[in-house]
Amino acid sequence: APRCHVNKQLIDVRVLKGEPAELSCTVSRDEVAGTWFKDGLKLKSMDGVLFDKRGLVHKLIINEVEDIHAGKYRFEAGGIKTEASIFVEDPPHVDKVLLKNLTSVPTVAKAGEKVKIKIPFEGRLPIRATWLKDKMELTDDSRIRVDKTDTFTMLSISNTERKDCGDYKVKLKNDSGVLDIDLKVEVTDKPQPPAGPMKILESSANDITIQWKPPKDDGGKPVQNYIVERQQVGKSDWVALGETPRSCTTFTTNKVEQDTSYYFRVRAVNAEGTSDALESDEVKTVRKASPGAPDPPEIISVSKDTITIAWKTPRKTGSSRIVGYIVQKRKKGTMIWVPVNSLPIADKKLKITNLKKGLQYEFCVAAVNASGIGDVSAPSQPVFARDSTKPPGKVRDLTVTSSDSTSVTLTWKRPEAKDGIDVKGYDVEMRSSNSLSWIKCNVVPIEMTTYTVKGLQAKEMYFLRVRALNDSGPGEAAELEAFIEAAPPVVSPRLLIDDTVKSYLIIKAGNTIRVNIPFETSPDLVVTWLKDGLALPSRATISTEDGTSQLLIKTAEFTDSGIYTIELKNGSGKREAFSFQVQVTDIPQAPGPIQLEENVPNTVTVTWEPSASEKWESNLYYTVLKRESQQGLWHVVGDLIYTNKFTFTKLIPGRDYYFRVLAKNYLGSSDPSETVQPWRIQKPKAEVQVRPQKYRGVNQNQPPRFLVPLKPHVVTTGSECHMSCAVGGHPPPKITWYKDSRDLSNDPTYFGTNDFGVCSLVIQGVSKADEGEYMVEATNELGRAFSKASLTIKGNN
């Protein structure tokens, strides 16, 4: 018989512990019966180990491999043999349920609590356990400890902090393999303070608006709200002002006083607690916009049923010019003040009538500007309503305020109220040092408390005196002496014109015209002002002192436009002059009523009555705007229109159109003139056959979202600014623009457009007042979204 040989040798097998294993070989003769050996010892039938022969194939089968099954196996039959080894692998492993929980559910702890993560494992020893956080191996320190035994490994953190949050990995390794377990640890805490620095968006007399940023770390829990407090500088207590929701990082408070300094602080709140505070720098409110209190009014004259009082402009005029004054009276000893005038009076002098003879009265006065009535003055000195019975007292504080080689200027104050309540004027007298006769200087009584004595001789001593006058005669004289110095050498008059003196002034009607012209002084200099070559109108006031002559017109009118000339002339006849032009203008008045006509099919011609400002404004033009609903944004359809007519052609039949017209010049825009009823071109009727829907379509509704957000802009003064973004959503969102939280929908200086989701805000001729934060809000029935950006204005230079 042929010799038996091995057709297929045994091959080595590597198998996991607990898994089945099989060794197999093939011989050349079917009748051969073989024997199996392990590590040189003959194997007998045993539990879990089977010997199988099927034809030429001999197998050794192990149902569940254990460590004892590892070794070298040999099969012998008919003088042949083949060998192979079974290697039992037992890598580290962890219970499947525990492993799923560890990897899918994060370990959560509050800051300060203790965390323990214990992982039991099995596998062939020795097993090395390594803990890593953010790919860095953890080592023991004062808070963190890693323990390991033959059956488990454990991570302990004694006092958790926010920095312990992160991704952890446990690496279990032996000679059979590696098991990686990924874990997540979350530590929650109170938030960090709101991010600074705190910004002051607005500070007025009554309001302060602050802004901050959300905390850089919310503590692992969403911020729920912010707490805002304030502290007045110099005080120790903090006052709670209110709270804002998590989405709002601005706060406006009116719990402040004008011209006062404060500190503000903001704290963030989440479910774990309240953060430390972000504090502001010192913030000071501005002074009140209305005027301050004038000085107490003075008593000018008294009779049995009338008293005349006068007062001065308050030192603090507020944020706009004073338009008049309100006077009140009360009887001495009472607490009730009664208004004398219901409407403000422009003069600073008032004759009060209908008084009761013999009663004693007090008076007070308050200034009025665009912000309202200002603070009330202290009461005047009390005065009786009765006729004068004695001459006035001596004038007070008689002094020489200026002198030259030929003149002396005197000033003084009225006598005390008790001695001078009925002063009708003053007399000034003089005598030289070599004469005993007094000479009266004035022809009629002097109403002012100043007077210039002229025609004096140089290098001469003079005596001067002043008496107050009333119906009873002159009062006691106040006297002084003055020495007249030698005349200086004659010099030519010289105007000191520099860059501060403009040759062309544009003044808004109602504002003050104030022009200061400096010059070199000389004793005999005469200053003359002219308008268009003629004397100044009576409304103009000229004051000349200390080398400066001032032209003052308190309330400019259109008739004040013209060429103004100042001329200097000295005693030798030498002259010098300077001329400048003043143009008085104003924000235009609104155009007249609007009429709409359809002269050409599917168009509308807008005509309007001219603005009354066309009479005085040569640079006036018109802007036409339209909107397609009563709540929609206005859109510019025509600009720089110098006629009173405009034709709009892009009409869509069936829609309502509203139109508004503005008159403009470089000072600004007038109030709008608007159509009352909408303009509509009837939509042609068409027969439409409506078929019922068989199927309901897919709901395509989506909340608003910004496809392209707003971006910050930096533009120069006077240029045009376009701020744009792209918005998605269905139904198409409604777009609203805001500046510093103020709705711009009804502000004609801002124009919004929305072309199929591309939204733009147009600002023409930007100024510093347009600088700030802009927000566009998109809303539909499913929600809202917004985008913000800043606009910075730079000067032309």
Side-chain angles (χ1 to χ4, degrees), residues 35 63 124 156 178 327 364 408 427 431 472 499 581 662 774 797:
T35 304
N63 292 331
R124 180 174 297 123
S156 301
V178 178
V327 177
C364 66
V408 170
D427 278 343
R431 69 177 179 87
S472 299
D499 293 339
Q581 183 176 355
L662 304 172
Y774 287 77
N797 295 330

Side-chain angles (χ1 to χ4, degrees), residues 599-742:
N599 296 325
V600 178
N602 293 333
T603 69
V604 60
T605 297
V606 185
T607 58
W608 57 91
E609 295 295 325
S611 165
S613 302
E614 283 192 9
K615 299 176 182 177
W616 48 264
E617 177 57 67
S618 59
N619 295 318
L620 184 133
Y621 63 93
Y622 296 93
T623 298
V624 178
L625 304 92
K626 65 91 178 174
R627 67 179 180 187
E628 298 182 13
S629 69
Q630 288 188 328
Q631 286 77 34
L633 284 176
W634 290 101
H635 301 276
V636 175
V637 294
D639 200 9
L640 297 174
I641 302 170
Y642 290 91
T643 64
N644 304 121
K645 183 170 68 174
F646 174 78
T647 299
F648 181 61
T649 60
K650 299 178 181 179
L651 290 176
I652 298 176
R655 290 191 182 179
D656 288 343
Y657 291 88
Y658 297 81
F659 292 90
R660 100 176 350 172
V661 180
L662 304 172
K664 293 184 177 181
N665 62 11
Y666 57 83
L667 279 184
S669 302
S670 71
D671 292 332
S673 179
E674 298 183 2
T675 55
V676 179
Q677 298 296 327
W679 177 268
R680 169 183 286 195
I681 296 178
Q682 295 299 326
K683 189 174 183 179
K685 295 183 179 179
E687 294 185 0
V688 179
Q689 184 176 3
V690 180
R691 296 182 179 180
Q693 293 184 344
K694 294 183 179 180
Y695 302 100
R696 184 176 179 179
V698 177
N699 184 359
Q700 297 180 345
N701 290 354
Q702 292 183 342
R705 67 188 189 282
F706 281 88
L707 308 176
V708 178
L710 286 180
K711 295 182 179 179
H713 284 63
V714 179
V715 298
T716 55
T717 302
S719 62
E720 186 172 276
C721 176
H722 289 256
M723 305 183 75
S724 300
C725 60
V727 182
H730 191 81
K734 176 187 174 184
I735 303 301
T736 307
W737 290 87
Y738 299 87
K739 175 184 181 289
D740 296 332
S741 302
R742 179 172 65 87

Side-chain angles (χ1 to χ4, degrees), residues 113-117 130-134 136-147 154-165 168 185 187:
E113 292 182 347
K114 187 173 183 178
V115 168
K116 284 188 177 182
I117 304 175
T130 306
W131 289 78
L132 300 98
K133 178 181 182 294
D134 300 329
M136 299 292 292
E137 184 174 352
L138 291 176
T139 56
D140 290 358
D141 61 19
S142 59
R143 294 190 310 110
I144 298 175
R145 179 178 172 183
V146 176
D147 295 307
M154 184 168 66
L155 171 68
S156 301
I157 306 176
S158 61
N159 186 19
T160 53
E161 300 174 358
R162 281 285 292 160
K163 66 181 181 180
D164 297 323
C165 293
Y168 289 72
V185 174
V187 179

